[in-house]
Amino acid sequence: MRIDGRVALVTGAAVGIGQAIACRLAEHGARLVLADIADCAATLQRVEEAGADAIVVDADLSDDEQAERLVDATLRRFGGVQILVNNAGGGQPTARYPAATPAQWSAVLALNLRAPMLLTQLALPALSAAGGVVVNVASTAGLDHSPYEWPEYAAAKAGLIRLTTAAKAGLGERANVRVTCVVPDWVRTARAEAELAAMTAEERAARPEPIPLPVLTGAVLDLIRDDGLSGEVVVLRPGAETRGGRRRDDC
């Protein structure tokens, strides 16, 4: 798929990974819809400086009506969408399972799994008409079998990874839409830099280097461009990439 001139909807675009993906797509000529519950003004400025035609849509994707409004705004402005990047996720929990209430842990599942499922479903007619591609952004929290301090988040990301592989037939073979997934470990965002700065020397020595943002955005571009990739999951860990079960030590 060519990126130049294509319409890309990027969720969670205000900061961090979503902002970096949006900027990389802008550099390659994409037209952009920047969606977030937070202020996307800085991202909008950066993509417009790169020459992109872009709009911002404020949207809480855990709300069905706002998700529908986001897709409607995309279609009204650009007439279609060819690239969907389901990046919005995370959360700011005040309690974590099992201490969290059912409403609290359900909200984590809603944002990190249900929202990308719903947005893909809502955008599916437009994506199908264009032979489009979906890139889900998951996390290695959904892969590992070791204990994890935020179980509901790990479970949601595991579900997003499995959704990608399971939906290959229903989306790729019958709807003409490729669904893919990038699964990064810790990524060098501004938030990660702040966490690093707050660590002791001993804590810092025990942590691997975060994945550079260009490595992650490069993996996203590869998934978008390669029309042969459907149901593909790319795992990014410090110093190595695993693609389709094969490990490549070139990151």
Side-chain angles (χ1 to χ4, degrees), residues 118-153:
L118 176 62
L119 198 58
T120 299
Q121 189 174 39
L122 292 171
L124 189 57
L127 289 166
S128 181
V133 58
V134 177
V135 180
N136 294 318
V137 180
S139 164
T140 54
L143 288 177
D144 298 330
H145 294 169
S146 57
Y148 192 75
E149 63 181 8
W150 197 7
E152 57 269 52
Y153 175 79

Side-chain angles (χ1 to χ4, degrees), residues 192-209:
E193 293 285 5
E195 291 174 357
L196 284 169
M199 290 181 183
T200 65
E202 292 77 12
E203 290 171 334
R204 181 68 188 87
R207 292 295 298 268
E209 282 296 313

Side-chain angles (χ1 to χ4, degrees), residues 108-125:
V108 176
L109 297 178
L111 178 59
N112 290 279
L113 179 57
R114 188 180 185 279
M117 291 181 71
L118 176 62
L119 198 58
T120 299
Q121 189 174 39
L122 292 171
L124 189 57

